[in-house]
Amino acid sequence: MSLADQPPAAVLVFQTLLVHGSLTRAEIGRRTGLSAGAVTKAATPLLADGWITELGRPAGERASGRPATPMAVRADRARFVGVKVTGDELIGVLTDLTARPLASRRAPLDSRDVGTVVLAIARLIGQLRAAAGAERDDAVHSVGVTLSGDVDGQTGTVQYSPFLDWRRVPLAQLVESASGIPTVIENDVRALTVAEQWFGAGVGLSSFALVTVGAGIGCGLSIGGRVVSGAHGVSGEVGHLPVGGTDRTCTCGNTGCVETVASTHAITEQARQATGDPALTMEEAVRLAHADNAAVRAVFSRAGHVMGLAMASVANLIGPERIIISGEGAASYDLFADQIRQTFADHAFGAAADCDLVVRPLPFEEWARGGAAVAAQRVFAPAK
């Protein structure tokens, strides 16, 4: 039986074990609010179908009395592939049911042509399967592909991806046809948010936001234990909040967006203007800022200011317990930190300023793992 066919209580038990690891029936009951009998009833078909398993009695437990036998997700019950697509590279991981990576690979992209990228994804999936000894036709349950932009996961369509210059691409169908494996797609930041909700800095929180700083500025929102997708596949686009103070044009075609000041590309361009060096790289800008170059430090300070405005807006709108800051730009967070926190404190309303800000740089393999987590999630919580 598929997990999607299980009753809600069984799915709740499975999700609880997935997020929190092995638990006794009593512990599951305390975390879910289910009675002891309801937990046993919900767990029975999961055990019979091999989605969860009973573990041995903990060492040192006395034999007398009814044993409190822990249960856990059976990680080898299914495998998934996650692929993160960037403008010039594919990053892939093959994982078990708990999204634990079993193999990882990267592959360069010589072209952003849709057909070329789809074939490259299919080749990468084959390489991951071979690396993990998962070459049987049924060895991989499904694939999750993630990329930046307006991605409608329910229809499997990339509505618009500015970095790839794609519009209305039925990517899920194309990858599934090329690989022979059921495929789902998702916005990369939302997928990473799913992974953080299950296994990262969002575990156990009623609400949190994940803000990513890099080639773009993204934001994933988890409210009440659910990652928000938006009615039309768009949510959390803080990179396109209008902050004004600049006439720089964004990739979306508008001016004054957060991304026009705080993305790595925008910072690099502004640092080039500040130094008069048209060949300056982001790495060199970071070095100059660390060397107290006043003009370049001012560029990072402006970026920190607009990021603080964006995070304050998120805190004021949804009141998250935590805002996680990640993305490739987080590696130079020390250059933004003071300004972000000052602006956040100045503009967060009331108790929203108590929101915990956590910096968590993550490699792209973790973003790919988010794709695998989305694919796994669809097994027991299919999109409605």
Side-chain angles (χ1 to χ4, degrees):
M1 179 184 289
S2 166
L3 269 171
D5 298 327
Q6 299 281 3
V11 174
L12 179 59
V13 168
F14 179 83
Q15 289 176 308
T16 302
L17 290 171
L18 185 67
V19 171
H20 297 287
S22 63
L23 298 170
T24 64
R25 286 170 171 78
E27 290 168 336
I28 293 171
R30 285 194 291 272
R31 290 183 181 276
T32 62
L34 296 172
S35 67
V39 171
T40 296
K41 182 178 179 180
T44 298
L46 297 174
L47 288 164
D49 203 35
W51 289 107
I52 65 175
T53 185
E54 289 186 313
L55 306 178
R57 181 180 299 166
E61 183 179 343
R62 291 185 301 174
S64 59
R66 184 175 179 178
T69 305
M71 296 186 294
V73 169
R74 212 186 100 198
D76 62 353
R77 178 64 170 77
R79 291 182 174 184
F80 304 88
V81 169
V83 178
K84 154 80 169 158
V85 183
T86 73
D88 53 15
E89 188 179 29
L90 300 177
I91 302 92
V93 297
L94 186 145
T95 78
D96 63 17
L97 182 53
T98 64
R100 180 176 64 91
L102 305 175
S104 65
R105 290 287 187 278
R106 291 192 175 211
L109 283 179
D110 300 323
S111 168
R112 298 179 184 179
D113 169 74
V114 173
T116 301
V117 173
V118 168
L119 289 176
I121 292 172
R123 284 196 300 271
L124 182 60
I125 292 169
Q127 292 167 3
L128 288 165
R129 292 173 69 182
E135 294 180 279
R136 299 191 327 273
D137 288 344
D138 63 346
V140 174
H141 185 281
S142 54
V143 173
V145 179
T146 76
L147 65 160
S148 67
D150 178 356
V151 178
D152 188 337
Q154 295 197 29
T155 65
T157 303
V158 180
Q159 300 292 4
Y160 176 48
S161 180
F163 297 109
L164 295 168
D165 196 24
W166 288 0
R167 293 181 185 273
R168 292 178 292 280
V169 175
L171 186 61
Q173 176 186 337
L174 293 172
V175 173
E176 185 166 333
S177 296
S179 67
I181 303 173
T183 299
V184 298
I185 66 171
E186 183 57 277
N187 171 272
D188 55 356
V189 178
R190 284 202 296 269
L192 184 60
T193 305
V194 170
E196 286 297 281
Q197 180 187 53
W198 282 12
F199 314 111
V203 170
L205 301 182
S206 63
S207 63
F208 72 92
L210 170 71
V211 175
T212 58
V213 185
I217 306 295
C219 179
L221 304 172
S222 175
I223 302 174
R226 296 182 65 88
V227 175
V228 178
S229 295
H232 306 288
V234 176
S235 64
E237 290 291 345
V238 299
H240 300 289
L241 286 176
V243 291
T246 178
D247 58 359
R248 295 173 56 81
T249 302
C250 185
T251 55
C252 71
N254 293 321
T255 58
C257 295
V258 170
E259 281 190 11
T260 65
V261 179
S263 70
T264 52
H265 177 71
I267 289 172
T268 301
E269 285 198 340
Q270 292 170 95
R272 287 172 177 173
Q273 294 170 358
T275 60
D277 181 356
L280 190 75
T281 65
M282 179 66 176
E283 292 74 19
E284 291 166 341
V286 169
R287 284 197 294 271
L288 286 173
H290 281 141
D292 287 330
N293 181 295
V296 178
R297 286 197 71 90
V299 170
F300 281 95
S301 180
R302 283 195 297 273
H305 176 68
V306 301
M307 287 299 301
L309 289 175
M311 293 178 196
S313 297
V314 170
N316 291 342
L317 284 170
I318 68 169
E321 291 183 59
R322 175 175 293 166
I323 295 178
I324 305 162
I325 303 165
S326 191
E328 61 266 37
S332 53
Y333 179 75
D334 61 305
L335 296 170
F336 304 94
D338 290 346
Q339 190 61 60
I340 286 178
R341 292 183 181 276
Q342 183 60 57
T343 302
F344 179 83
D346 290 344
H347 291 272
F349 178 75
D354 295 333
C355 175
D356 185 27
L357 300 183
V358 174
V359 183
R360 187 166 154 79
L362 295 168
F364 274 146
E365 280 74 12
E366 287 297 312
W367 293 60
R369 187 185 182 211
V374 168
Q377 185 183 54
R378 298 289 175 88
V379 173
F380 62 86
K384 302 296 185 185

